[in-house]
Amino acid sequence: MQNAKGELPAASPEIAKVTLGWFSGTMDGLPVQESVKKLSELEHIFLDEAARSHMDQDQEVYRVCWWSPVSPGVEGGLFWGVTTLRPGKVGDEYFMTHGHSHANRSRAEYYTPVSGRGLLIRMDERRLTWAEEMAPGTLHYLNGENAHRVVNTGNEPLIFWACWCSDAGYDYGAIRERGFGVRVMERDGQPVVIPYE
Ligand code: F6R
Ligand code: ZN
């Protein structure tokens, strides 16, 4: 909105500091945070722990860049981020995110991929688990009650944007201990969703 002199007001500190590379999955700007998940931090997440432990522990599996315009835990805000999940396998199991539920189970999230392909694994509180195809253009609404994990079943990075509530939080414990009700393995060159307990 212009003032009487036709001038635009100065942008608030939150605006115009972040710019996106939509298809490359990059975020630039002072408040952007980044975390890199290496194989060393995914102990006992993959079925073949021996295979994981013999791989290069410094190998990056995925990275997340995000913008928190408000502090984590503040009610009513939104976070915006992008995950780049590399292609690869541990044994026959495709690279995937750790997976989590939201600490606040009433807080939802959107995922939308822009590059690559894979599967979104979702699990409800009774451990009923299912997979949704992820490819550029698919939009996934995650209600806060579902644990979620992304698996890269392709040969290129799987890049997806996400928007989630600032007071959603993270609950990694249950997934670390029991995982999901399925695993995604390569069989005869194809991804197969296999029930797992
Ligand atoms: C936020 C969210 C994503 C994931 C990211 C990495 O609620 O779902 O930003 O945090 O894809 O996955 P995790 O957190 O499972 O390591
Ligand atoms: Zn989430």
Side-chain angles (χ1 to χ4, degrees), residues 21-43:
W22 185 251
F23 294 105
S24 56
T26 52
M27 294 179 74
D28 289 311
L30 206 55
V32 172
Q33 300 175 70
E34 185 168 55
S35 100
V36 176
K37 198 69 101 174
K38 296 181 176 177
L39 269 177
S40 58
E41 296 157 274
L42 293 167
E43 213 176 344

Side-chain angles (χ1 to χ4, degrees), residues 66-81:
W66 74 98
W67 181 30
S68 312
V70 297
S71 299
V74 167
E75 194 179 324
L78 292 170
F79 291 165
W80 177 264

Side-chain angles (χ1 to χ4, degrees), residues 42-59:
L42 293 167
E43 213 176 344
H44 298 293
I45 294 300
F46 294 92
L47 182 60
D48 193 343
E49 171 57 20
R52 188 208 61 84
S53 68
H54 286 105
M55 293 169 73
D56 174 7
Q57 297 302 295
D58 266 344
Q59 181 170 350

Side-chain angles (χ1 to χ4, degrees), residues 98-103 105 168-175:
H98 184 290
H100 63 270
S101 307
H102 292 165
R105 298 287 199 272
Y170 299 89
D171 177 359
Y172 288 103
I175 297 303

Side-chain angles (χ1 to χ4, degrees), residues 37 62 64 83 97-100 102 109 111 148 160 162 164 170 172:
K37 198 69 101 174
Y62 59 97
V64 187
T83 301
T97 59
H98 184 290
H100 63 270
H102 292 165
E109 177 166 21
Y111 277 5
H148 40 287
F160 61 94
W164 66 101
Y170 299 89
Y172 288 103

